[in-house]
Amino acid sequence: MKSLLKMTWMETKLFLREPVSAFFTLIFPLVMLFIFGSIYGTQSVPGTDSTQGAIGTLIPAFTAMIIGMTGLMPVTITLATYRENGILRRLRTTPVSPLVVLAAQVMVVFVMTGLGVLLLAIAGKVVYHVQFDGNVFSMAGGFTLCSLSFFGIGFILAGVMPNARTAQIVAMVLLYPMLILSGAAWPRELMPAAVQKISAFLPLTYVVNLLRGLWVGESWGTHLLDVGVLVGMLLLGIIISVKTFRWE
Amino acid sequence: MNTIVQVEGLRKTYGAIAAVDDISFEVQEGEIFGMVGPNGAGKTTTIECLEGLRKPDSGTVRVLGVDPQREGQTLCLRVGMQLQQSNLPERMKVWEALDLYTSFYPKAVDWKELLVQLGLEEKRNAPFSKLSGGQKQRLFIALALLPDPQLIFLDELTTGLDPQARHAIWDLVRDVRARGKTVILSTHFMEEAEKLCDRVAILDLGRIVALDTPAALIHSLEAEQRVIFSLDGSLPPALEKALSMAGRLEVQGEQVTIHGKNGRKVPLVSEVVSLLTEQGINFRDLRTEQPTLEDVFLSLTGRKMRE
């Protein structure tokens, strides 16, 4: 327990010292919010059935964006780099359990993602007086489920890919189209219908659907498909990442 | 004395290549035991089998009385390891690494003392990536010493270090042993093995070709030692005659070299010096050249060690 806490704290410090991941998790979503906020203001996005302004649609979508980015980039890169550089090798010579190493990573990225989302929500509230119709606990639960299932993808990539460089490239190749097509970077409704069909095959789409729904106060029951897909991903992520974990 | 490590018929192959081919040896408590040989001789594979990081294909390994494969978890509380290829995160600071690794052990020594002992106090807040090669190795020794181990493994500790940093590391290793710990190290520097180790196993192509104290290995070689000096003017015939009784004589201008066999009753150098003084000859720049482990390796394998 002592080592888990120490390691989590250490990894938190390392996360914040890495300018790129700290920027994309904490700052970049705010920048996106202000760009879209200055385009649409409090109007609703054309084509959405939401009664809310654009920002009300964008905050859950950008939450999905943060989840997608943190799940694929820092998790994958950190773990793959740690393996490639022999950092895990050094840990292996100590009594520390691999579960502690993995759990510390999960906690750090989860807290950082949460922090990014919190900053986003505060900015939305203060700057754009955004309307939130959902339940805070329900939203937090949805966020947790979505984050953990997405970290699973990162762990799988880190475990399966031969080296850090490949893992990083594959993560980027998966991430960017997914951000654009799933409706995480801007409303899906702005894209042609044919393109929208592709989104059904992207895991991030289910995150966007669930979080947008919970934001406007829809019940979990209306999102059984999304929840099912995400729970499936989570289980798969846990099983595969534990099976593929290698010290070197 | 207690036997700390016992290896019997250790074998490990990668594909068709036998990295370690039937190796047996023992290490006693309080020794600095060295494994020396060129790259690919099997040093690291042997050490990693002892550390429990690799599974031997056959043979038995006992470290502190236990099998490292089966009881690796208990062993890592009593053994310190410095690995050939390992790292810390670039932005982790020196004190943070020690603090973090301390939390892994139920009982650890005070890392602040280690920081002072290993001369890293000034680098306390330096990130890992900003340390020099020697400082990184000192930090790794500190990490290895955290559990206050009985036995410490140092794999290619001084590779890539400049001679000054290397000598500083040797002093540290001697300090570690002085605190009652057993040290097993590998190196491809013959000089390092000769200066630092109590006993040395010379490895080549996965086998131990010789194992003894450096002095005994050199002695067993019966290699020549050389005494070299310079004269003002030419060599007087009386001296030439007397010197050629002592050994094979070689004269190059003013410089005289006498080659003599090792293991004589009177050391070659005292014989030469007494002849010179008896005959009242002025000489200068007298020095001796001893055979080294390098020569031992050459005569055992027919090849030169290469770095």
Side-chain angles (χ1 to χ4, degrees), chain B residues 96-118:
Chain B
E96 289 171 335
L98 288 161
D99 188 41
L100 175 68
Y101 275 69
T102 296
S103 76
F104 299 156
Y105 299 101
K107 259 175 81 178
V109 298
D110 186 357
W111 60 260
K112 292 179 197 81
E113 281 171 23
L114 285 179
L115 209 58
V116 178
Q117 281 162 9
L118 295 179

Side-chain angles (χ1 to χ4, degrees), chain B:
Chain B
M1 248 199 292
N2 292 324
T3 303
I4 293 277
V5 168
Q6 252 178 316
V7 177
E8 190 71 52
L10 176 67
R11 195 185 294 270
K12 175 85 191 170
T13 54
Y14 299 118
I17 300 150
V20 174
D21 190 4
D22 195 15
I23 277 184
S24 304
F25 62 90
E26 286 186 357
V27 179
Q28 308 299 326
E29 187 172 7
E31 266 193 306
I32 300 181
F33 182 88
M35 282 190 265
V36 67
N39 292 331
K43 306 179 297 281
T44 296
T45 306
T46 306
I47 285 195
E48 288 182 349
C49 287
L50 299 184
E51 290 170 333
L53 298 179
R54 294 201 191 282
K55 195 174 175 354
D57 293 338
S58 63
T60 54
V61 174
R62 288 282 173 282
V63 178
L64 301 172
V66 303
D67 179 353
Q69 275 300 314
R70 278 205 223 133
E71 291 176 70
Q73 276 307 105
T74 57
L75 207 56
C76 63
L77 298 174
R78 301 160 68 200
V79 171
M81 302 177 202
Q82 174 271 334
L83 304 168
Q84 193 182 346
Q85 286 162 336
S86 70
N87 265 306
L88 293 170
E90 285 185 0
R91 291 186 169 86
M92 192 181 277
K93 293 173 182 170
V94 168
W95 77 267
E96 289 171 335
L98 288 161
D99 188 41
L100 175 68
Y101 275 69
T102 296
S103 76
F104 299 156
Y105 299 101
K107 259 175 81 178
V109 298
D110 186 357
W111 60 260
K112 292 179 197 81
E113 281 171 23
L114 285 179
L115 209 58
V116 178
Q117 281 162 9
L118 295 179
L120 285 169
E121 218 179 6
E122 279 172 30
K123 292 285 157 188
R124 193 190 155 99
N125 288 315
F128 182 72
S129 59
K130 294 271 186 279
L131 298 178
S132 71
Q135 288 161 347
K136 283 181 183 171
Q137 290 297 22
R138 274 187 273 162
L139 177 56
F140 281 130
I141 297 180
L143 292 179
L145 288 173
L146 273 177
D148 197 18
Q150 284 170 267
L151 168 65
I152 177 166
F153 289 104
L154 305 170
D155 194 4
E156 297 274 353
L157 188 62
T158 60
T159 302
L161 300 188
D162 58 62
Q164 202 184 347
R166 191 174 300 154
H167 284 96
I169 296 276
W170 291 354
D171 286 337
L172 283 176
V173 175
R174 292 189 189 105
D175 280 353
V176 168
R177 193 262 300 272
R179 277 183 259 163
K181 305 189 189 314
T182 309
V183 179
I184 297 183
L185 62 86
S186 79
T187 177
H188 60 259
F189 296 112
M190 285 291 173
E191 190 201 357
E192 179 163 300
E194 198 175 318
K195 296 254 169 78
L196 192 56
C197 299
D198 300 315
R199 284 195 308 141
V200 174
I202 300 182
L203 272 75
D204 188 44
L205 305 170
R207 290 172 178 274
I208 294 183
V209 291
L211 197 172
D212 211 326
T213 63
L217 285 171
I218 291 166
H219 191 78
S220 73
L221 191 60
E222 293 195 351
E224 288 180 329
Q225 51 175 311
R226 293 176 289 277
V227 177
I228 302 161
F229 62 90
S230 298
L231 287 174
D232 295 321
S234 61
L235 188 66
L239 180 62
E240 184 172 349
K241 197 177 168 213
L243 284 176
S244 29
M245 304 287 277
R248 188 165 56 83
L249 202 62
E250 197 182 307
V251 184
Q252 270 187 320
E254 295 189 335
Q255 185 175 297
V256 181
T257 308
I258 304 111
H259 303 259
K261 282 272 177 225
N262 241 356
R264 327 149 40 96
K265 267 189 229 132
V266 185
L268 180 66
V269 58
S270 32
E271 197 173 335
V272 170
V273 171
S274 61
L275 280 173
L276 285 166
T277 42
E278 260 169 36
Q279 306 201 6
I281 307 248
N282 282 328
F283 61 92
R284 52 192 159 76
D285 301 336
L286 183 128
R287 64 180 199 276
T288 62
E289 276 181 5
Q290 297 286 340
T292 62
L293 275 186
E294 196 87 39
D295 298 310
V296 176
F297 185 83
L298 180 70
S299 85
L300 285 172
T301 65
R303 284 179 290 122
K304 276 204 161 170
M305 278 275 301
R306 227 170 276 150
E307 286 187 9

